[in-house]
Amino acid sequence: FKMNNQTDVTEFIFLGFSNHPKLQGLFFLIFLVIYLTTLLGNTLIITATRVSSALQTPMYYFLSNLSFLDICYTSTTIPVMLVNFFREKKTISYEGCLSQVFFFATCVGTECVLLAAMAYDRYVAICRPLQYSVLMSVKVCVCLVIGSWLCGLVNSLTHTVLATTLTLCGPNQISHFLCDVPLLLKLSCSDTSINESVLHVASATIGLSPCLFTAVSYILIISAILRIPSAQSRSKAFSTCASHLTVVVGFYGTANFNYDRPSVGYSLDVDILVSVLFCVMTPMFNPIIYSLRNKEVKGALRKVVGGWALSG
């Protein structure tokens, strides 16, 4: 990323967690444990879906991609935050900030679309079971995953390029622990109307559209499940969707609260707490939710861990 000629700001200071100077060590330990748990949980899911023959289905192909995405997602923000807990002045360079904006926006955008693709997979499985092998062929699944990443990348690249045009003349303090587009817009002393318009368009296309698509898919799925005569079959059908539905509600619930709440009346601590739920906790909970609710994943994870124990 090239430095803008008009930009006086060469680094940013994060104010996140600065209200609690005596708790820096405790925060470091908590976030280190969360980060390691996220890495381990998601790596186990990826490994399990690769080695277990029972998990060679579209649903688990999407799940392994979601796990990879969650590893990228947390690795964009947590390592910088962990290093900053030991620094008096919690800084990030201008280029570092822009690259964080790029990777963070890519991951968030990709996850929105990927969760919608996973909802489509569940819809086909329950509402169109006879056509499942055709509608969810390997080619379709690969295209949906590549499409998700492309949506995230195009969205992110647009925001990042626009962010380089902002004139930042101080203050260079970000009331957060990460760099994000709305936070940079607040620091700009140039016209941000184009950036804001693009942000609104992106939140409608990359955020709202997949969310509505997922909601409609689940309305159709639930109405189909309720029509199943056998209680046991109903329970089995719903259990295949429960993990994904839980992940979707968690992701969109915290994202909505993170981006769409009023800008006044909230303290820095509340802001940080909401963002921690969205940026840090969601990627850690995803593998836990899938392994708790799912017998096949549990079985595959036991085999993986058992294999590692024997080889060790």
Side-chain angles (χ1 to χ4, degrees):
F1 299 107
K2 284 189 178 173
M3 281 282 286
N4 188 320
N5 293 336
Q6 294 173 286
T7 304
D8 299 326
V9 174
T10 56
E11 65 174 16
F12 297 96
I13 299 167
F14 290 133
L15 299 181
F17 304 106
S18 58
N19 288 357
H20 308 282
K22 290 180 180 171
L23 296 176
Q24 301 295 304
L26 178 64
F27 286 146
F28 173 81
L29 281 175
I30 290 168
F31 285 107
L32 180 65
V33 169
I34 289 171
Y35 185 49
L36 294 176
T37 307
T38 305
L39 292 183
L40 178 66
N42 284 296
T43 304
L44 279 172
I45 293 274
I46 292 168
T47 311
T49 54
R50 290 284 179 273
V51 301
S52 169
S53 55
L55 303 185
Q56 302 298 316
T57 64
M59 179 168 131
Y60 297 112
Y61 171 67
F62 289 130
L63 177 59
S64 66
N65 276 282
L66 181 68
S67 289
F68 174 70
L69 187 59
D70 281 337
I71 289 171
C72 298
Y73 183 37
T74 43
S75 298
T76 304
T77 52
I78 298 187
V80 176
M81 180 166 55
L82 290 175
V83 170
N84 273 333
F85 280 129
F86 288 108
R87 296 164 74 179
E88 189 74 28
K89 202 172 159 194
K90 303 175 194 315
T91 58
I92 188 168
S93 68
Y94 176 79
E95 292 85 354
C97 186
L98 281 183
S99 56
Q100 200 176 57
V101 165
F102 174 76
F103 290 113
F104 184 68
T106 300
C107 292
V108 173
T110 305
E111 187 147 339
C112 286
V113 184
L114 186 64
L115 288 173
M118 292 171 84
Y120 174 68
D121 167 66
R122 293 298 81 213
Y123 163 76
V124 176
I126 285 164
C127 302
R128 300 274 186 276
L130 300 176
Q131 299 162 288
Y132 187 76
S133 58
V134 178
L135 291 174
M136 296 307 295
S137 64
V138 172
K139 190 178 175 183
V140 171
C141 294
V142 171
C143 286
L144 285 170
V145 168
I146 292 171
S148 301
W149 278 100
L150 282 175
C151 286
L153 278 167
V154 170
N155 170 54
S156 172
L157 198 59
T158 311
H159 289 312
T160 312
V161 169
L162 282 172
T164 62
T165 67
L166 295 173
T167 306
L168 305 166
C169 38
N172 64 338
Q173 297 179 330
I174 295 177
S175 301
H176 220 293
F177 58 81
L178 59 88
C179 285
D180 201 1
V181 180
L183 299 167
L184 286 183
L185 296 186
K186 282 183 187 172
L187 299 182
S188 172
C189 47
S190 57
D191 181 31
T192 59
S193 54
I194 295 173
N195 306 64
E196 283 169 27
S197 301
V198 171
L199 207 55
H200 289 311
V201 171
S203 63
T205 50
I206 295 272
L208 190 61
S209 300
C211 184
L212 290 175
F213 179 86
T214 305
V216 170
S217 299
Y218 269 102
I219 291 166
L220 295 170
I221 288 167
I222 291 164
S223 63
I225 290 173
L226 294 175
R227 288 198 298 273
I228 299 172
S230 149
Q232 193 177 358
S233 300
R234 273 202 305 271
S235 169
K236 191 180 177 187
F238 190 72
S239 73
T240 66
C241 304
S243 305
H244 179 247
L245 190 56
T246 310
V247 166
V248 165
V249 170
F251 178 78
Y252 278 113
T254 52
N256 186 47
F257 204 59
N258 192 46
Y259 287 113
D260 296 334
R261 64 187 186 284
S263 54
V264 290
Y266 281 96
S267 68
L268 177 62
D269 286 349
V270 173
D271 272 0
I272 297 299
L273 180 64
V274 170
S275 294
V276 164
L277 287 173
F278 176 57
C279 309
V280 179
M281 302 305 278
T282 311
M284 182 182 77
F285 283 133
N286 288 356
I288 296 169
I289 290 164
Y290 267 96
S291 49
L292 283 178
R293 298 263 350 167
N294 200 302
K295 284 178 191 162
E296 284 113 339
V297 175
K298 273 186 194 168
L301 287 174
R302 278 197 200 102
K303 278 185 192 169
V304 171
V305 174
W308 285 352
L310 289 171
S311 63

